[in-house]
Amino acid sequence: MRVGIIGGGVAGLAAAYQLTKQGHFVEVFEQAPFLGGQASTFDVFGGRLERGYHHLFVSDTDITELIHELGLGDRLAWLESSVGFYYGGKIWDFATPMDLLRFKPLSIFQRVRVGLWTLLLQKTQNYRKFENITAKDWLSRRMGQNAYKVIWEPMLRGKFGEFYDRISMTWIWGKVRLRVASRSKGGQRERLGYPMGSFGEVIDVLAQRITEQGGQIQSSATVTQIVQSGGAATALDVQLEDSQSERREYDAVIATTPSYVFTKLAPPMPKEYQDKLEGTNYLSAVLMVLVMDRPFTNKYWLNIADSDMPFVALIEHTNLIDRNLYGGKHILYISNYPSRDSELYRKSAEELMELFVPHLQKINPDFDRSWVIEHHHHRVDGAQPIVGINYGAGIPDHRTPHKGLYLANTTQIYPEDRGTNYSVRMGKQVAQMVMDDAESKTP
Ligand SMILES: Cc1cc2nc3c(=O)[nH]c(=O)nc-3n(C[C@H](O)[C@H](O)[C@H](O)COP(=O)(O)OP(=O)(O)OC[C@H]3O[C@@H](n4cnc5c(N)ncnc54)[C@H](O)[C@@H]3O)c2cc1C
C-alpha cells in the first residue's frame, strides 16, 4: 500500500513509522524546513532546545515506549520538578499537598476544601460527568468563589484567554489527573521526563528509522490539495521547494494538520462532518525564550496568577535540565496563548521584550536586561484547541467521509489535553485503521 502523510510532526511521523514497520510505502510532506512541528527544536549555545517548553509526564507511556524502541531509552531522564505560583507579589511553592496547606492567600478552611475536592477529582475515573459543565461553574461551586478566583481562573485565563469561562470541567479533570500521576510514590514531588538530547533527537531518530524502513520524508514540501476521485482520496498535490507542483498518487492519505488547514486542502465534506471541523477553534502559542547568564528564579514552572502581567507562565528550562547542555547558559520561556487576531500575537520580538522586562523586574527586582545574552521569539499556530462543554460530541472521526482519507490532529485528543504522547498514540492508531481498512477491502 502507498500512503501519503501530510505533516512531519509527531503524529505524522508516528503513523509513518508504524506503516513502514509493516512493510507499507509512505511519503511524509512537511511544509516547514524542519521536522517535529510543535515539538521541533532550534540551536542554543551548542544544545538543542524546543521552540516551546516540553517535558513528559510519568503517564506518557506511548511516547516513552517509542523512545525505548528507538534505542534512546538511556537518554530519557526523569527529574524532580519545582513548581511555583506567583500571587500577590510573591512566589509561593506549589508542588505538593503541603504547599497548598501553606498557601496563605486562602483561609485554612479554603485550603482544606481545595485539597479535598482535588483529591476527589484525582480519584474520579469517569470524566463524562464533567462534560456538560464549565470549569468555572464546577470549581467555584465546589471549591468556593475565592479559591476559584485565586487558583483556577488565572490558570484557565492563562491557557484559554478570553475563552476562560467556557472551558469544560473535563479539561481541568485531565490536568489534575496527569499531574498527580507524575508524582513519585508517596504522593509528593512531581517527576517530569525529558530526552536529554531534546525532543529533536527523538524526531531525528524516528525519521531515520522511517527512511531505513523504506519511507520517504520531504521537508519544505507543502501539500496544496488532497485529490479525490470516485469518492476516495487518490492523490496529493505537493509544492516542493523551488519546483513546480507535483501530483503523487496514493491508496490512502493521512492528514495531521490543524482542522482549519485540512478544510482548505480536502475535498468538500458532508455538512455534519464539516460542522465538526469548523466547530473547534484554536489558540496560538507565543513564546519568548531568554538565554541568560544567570538564573531568574529557582522554579522550573512558575504559574502567574496576576492579571496585570502580560504573560501566564514562566518556564525556566535550566531549573529542570542541566544548563551545561547549553554552554552553561540559563534558559527561560515566557509563555502566552493568544488568538491570532490579538495584539499580543502581532507584536514583534522587540515590542514583547519592552513589554515583558518591567514585569519580570516585579517578580525578580534584581533582573536586568543585561542578563539576557540573546532572545528568541516563536509563534506556534494551532497550538491549543479550545475545549468547551460537550466537546466530545463534536470531535470529527479519524475516518473522514471520503474513502482512504484520514484525519489525525490535536482536536481529536480527548479527554486528555494535547501532548506528544497522545500524538504518538493517535498516529499509531490511525496507521492501524488504514491497514485494517485496506485488509478488509482485499478479497
Ligand atoms: C508551547 C507548547 C508547549 C507544549 N508543551 C508540551 C509538553 O510539555 N509536553 C508534550 O508532550 N507536549 C507539549 N506540547 C504539545 C505537543 O507539542 C503537540 O501536541 C504535538 O507535538 C502535536 O503533534 P502533531 O503532529 O499532532 O501536530 P503538529 O506538531 O502541529 O504537526 C502538524 C504538522 O503539519 C505541518 N503542516 C501543516 N500544513 C501543512 C501542509 N499543507 N503541507 C505540509 N505540512 C503541513 C505543520 O507544519 C506541522 O509540522 C506543547 C505544545 C506547545 C505549542
Side-chain angles (χ1 to χ4, degrees):
M1 188 173 33
R2 289 172 59 86
V3 183
I5 298 182
I6 312 171
V10 175
L13 295 176
Y17 176 63
Q18 208 58 26
L19 284 158
T20 50
K21 210 161 104 176
Q22 302 300 323
H24 299 288
F25 175 74
V26 303
E27 275 180 310
V28 179
F29 300 105
E30 167 54 52
Q31 68 182 4
F34 47 82
L35 297 176
Q38 295 180 39
S40 61
T41 54
F42 67 111
D43 293 338
V44 173
F45 282 89
R48 295 176 75 180
L49 182 73
E50 294 68 31
R51 287 183 166 75
Y53 57 86
H54 268 72
H55 55 245
L56 296 177
F57 294 100
V58 172
S59 53
D60 287 342
T61 48
D62 290 83
I63 191 163
T64 303
E65 271 168 30
L66 178 65
I67 289 172
H68 281 275
E69 196 174 321
L70 294 174
L72 293 171
D74 58 347
R75 306 280 278 157
L76 184 58
W78 291 96
L79 304 152
E80 200 167 275
S81 119
S82 47
V83 182
F85 196 79
Y86 180 77
Y87 180 83
K90 187 176 164 192
I91 296 178
W92 301 84
D93 286 341
F94 222 73
T96 67
M98 274 316 285
D99 293 336
L100 173 63
L101 285 177
R102 290 189 208 104
F103 185 62
K104 294 215 176 86
L106 298 182
S107 71
I108 189 70
F109 168 73
Q110 288 167 340
R111 289 173 233 166
V112 172
R113 188 172 172 190
V114 169
L116 289 175
W117 278 109
T118 307
L119 199 67
L120 188 104
L121 275 179
Q122 292 159 13
K123 302 260 175 242
T124 305
Q125 304 279 349
N126 178 10
Y127 68 88
R128 294 195 185 278
K129 63 165 103 167
F130 301 125
E131 280 212 286
N132 61 359
I133 183 158
T134 63
K136 177 175 187 252
D137 284 349
W138 195 93
L139 292 165
S140 47
R141 258 186 246 158
R142 299 297 196 287
M143 300 198 188
Q145 187 63 17
N146 193 39
Y148 167 73
K149 281 271 173 210
V150 172
I151 297 181
W152 302 100
E153 187 177 300
M155 184 177 166
L156 288 162
R157 278 187 188 274
K159 219 42 189 297
F160 297 102
E162 63 191 280
F163 301 94
Y164 79 98
D165 54 355
R166 283 176 256 171
I167 301 309
S168 164
M169 185 57 202
T170 315
W171 188 81
I172 292 281
W173 169 85
K175 283 282 161 201
V176 168
R177 283 180 63 89
L178 198 61
R179 298 220 88 115
V180 169
S182 260
R183 291 228 176 104
S184 55
K185 284 205 177 74
Q188 292 302 308
R189 299 240 158 229
E190 179 183 60
R191 280 184 311 132
L192 298 176
Y194 188 76
M196 295 310 279
S198 81
F199 280 71
E201 185 180 55
V202 177
I203 298 288
D204 283 357
V205 176
L206 183 57
Q208 192 187 326
R209 221 38 82 72
I210 293 165
T211 40
E212 283 165 8
Q213 288 170 179
Q216 288 185 11
I217 302 175
Q218 305 225 24
S219 46
S220 300
T222 305
V223 172
T224 54
Q225 192 189 184
I226 300 165
V227 182
Q228 68 122 9
S229 157
T234 54
L236 294 177
D237 285 345
V238 187
Q239 182 68 52
L240 299 165
E241 205 176 20
D242 301 329
S243 81
Q244 302 278 28
S245 174
E246 287 182 19
R247 181 160 290 188
R248 308 276 178 98
E249 305 211 333
Y250 300 104
D251 302 304
V253 166
I254 302 174
T256 67
T257 70
S259 297
Y260 61 85
V261 176
F262 179 66
T263 53
K264 289 191 193 125
L265 305 179
M269 296 285 168
K271 184 171 180 319
E272 197 189 331
Y273 197 82
Q274 185 68 20
D275 285 348
K276 287 186 173 176
L277 290 175
E278 288 172 3
T280 309
N281 294 312
Y282 293 85
L283 292 166
S284 300
V286 169
L287 287 315
M288 182 63 85
V289 188
L290 306 190
V291 181
M292 301 184 295
D293 64 3
R294 65 197 88 179
F296 183 71
T297 67
N298 61 358
K299 299 282 178 276
Y300 167 60
W301 190 281
L302 184 61
N303 285 306
I304 306 295
D306 178 341
S307 54
D308 291 336
M309 292 263 168
F311 41 78
V312 297
L314 296 177
I315 297 104
E316 200 156 347
H317 182 74
T318 39
N319 285 341
L320 185 71
I321 308 302
D322 186 352
R323 66 192 166 94
N324 288 320
L325 292 179
Y326 316 95
K329 307 293 180 281
H330 297 261
I331 292 166
L332 178 73
Y333 289 95
I334 306 174
S335 165
N336 268 306
Y337 286 88
S339 54
R340 284 208 306 179
D341 53 11
S342 70
E343 216 184 300
L344 195 97
Y345 179 87
R346 286 194 296 268
K347 280 193 191 301
S348 67
E350 249 342 283
E351 288 169 334
L352 286 173
M353 282 301 280
E354 269 179 38
L355 177 68
F356 291 161
V357 166
H359 292 279
L360 292 173
Q361 282 165 338
K362 284 187 204 157
I363 297 172
N364 179 349
D366 293 336
F367 174 74
D368 189 86
R369 188 150 176 186
S370 64
W371 294 11
V372 180
I373 302 160
E374 56 184 46
H375 60 267
H376 303 267
H377 174 214
H378 302 297
R379 290 191 192 102
V380 185
D381 286 334
Q384 177 67 52
I386 298 172
V387 184
I389 58 170
N390 297 321
Y391 183 88
I395 297 176
D397 288 344
H398 293 305
R399 288 185 177 93
T400 75
H402 295 279
K403 275 201 205 98
L405 178 56
Y406 300 81
L407 179 67
N409 73 23
T410 53
T411 66
Q412 295 160 303
I413 293 166
Y414 184 77
E416 302 89 355
D417 192 23
R418 66 20 169 194
T420 51
N421 182 63
Y422 305 108
S423 291
V424 167
R425 189 175 73 186
M426 182 173 59
K428 229 161 74 176
Q429 282 170 346
V430 174
Q432 193 57 51
M433 245 178 226
V434 172
M435 291 188 278
D436 290 347
D437 290 353
E439 209 162 287
S440 68
K441 270 197 296 193
T442 318

